Amino acid sequence: MKTPDNIRQAVPFLWVSDMDRSLRYYVNDLGFEVSNQWVPDGRIEWCWLQLGGAALMLQEVRKNHLDQWFANGKPGHGVTIYFICDDALTVYRDALARGIALETPFVGNGMWVVGMSDPDGYSLTFESKTDVKEGTEYSD
């Protein structure tokens, strides 16, 4: 590909089992904003979420397809989305204050690593550069 300035953004698309639950998690708990949505029959079935320069799309699986969708286990299994930010520890403290289940932050590859999972099992990792020693675990 010889026109890299033509590509502007990659946006993960996540299938979710319960849009209301996912919106509570991403909007209420993590602070994303809904910037676009598809609302057939008066209920959001697809949306574009934005947090700073990061974006996600969520689409609810139609109820008559849930069995097929879950046939191979939890939908988010094996999927991790990395958010590179200025201060991952701020994300950690904010999420902790909201009662989100989190892993203990640590330094890996010269970055603070803050990990959590969404309601469908997608792994979300927020990272920021640091000079702290590799392998250090965060403590208050």
Side-chain angles (χ1 to χ4, degrees), residues 10-29:
V11 181
F13 183 101
L14 307 179
W15 288 100
V16 300
S17 59
D18 183 325
M19 182 63 78
D20 293 333
R21 180 182 68 177
S22 292
L23 286 173
R24 280 191 304 275
Y25 183 81
Y26 283 100
V27 174
N28 297 351
D29 293 345

Side-chain angles (χ1 to χ4, degrees), residues 80-99:
T80 301
I81 300 169
Y82 284 83
F83 297 91
I84 307 306
C85 47
D86 292 330
D87 186 357
L89 293 178
T90 294
V91 173
Y92 171 76
R93 288 187 286 273
D94 289 348
L96 194 62
R98 290 184 168 110

Side-chain angles (χ1 to χ4, degrees), residues 19 23 34 36-37 44-49 56-58:
M19 182 63 78
L23 286 173
V34 177
N36 198 355
Q37 59 189 337
I44 296 175
E45 286 193 31
W46 169 89
C47 62
W48 178 291
L49 302 177
L56 296 171
M57 287 185 278
L58 305 180

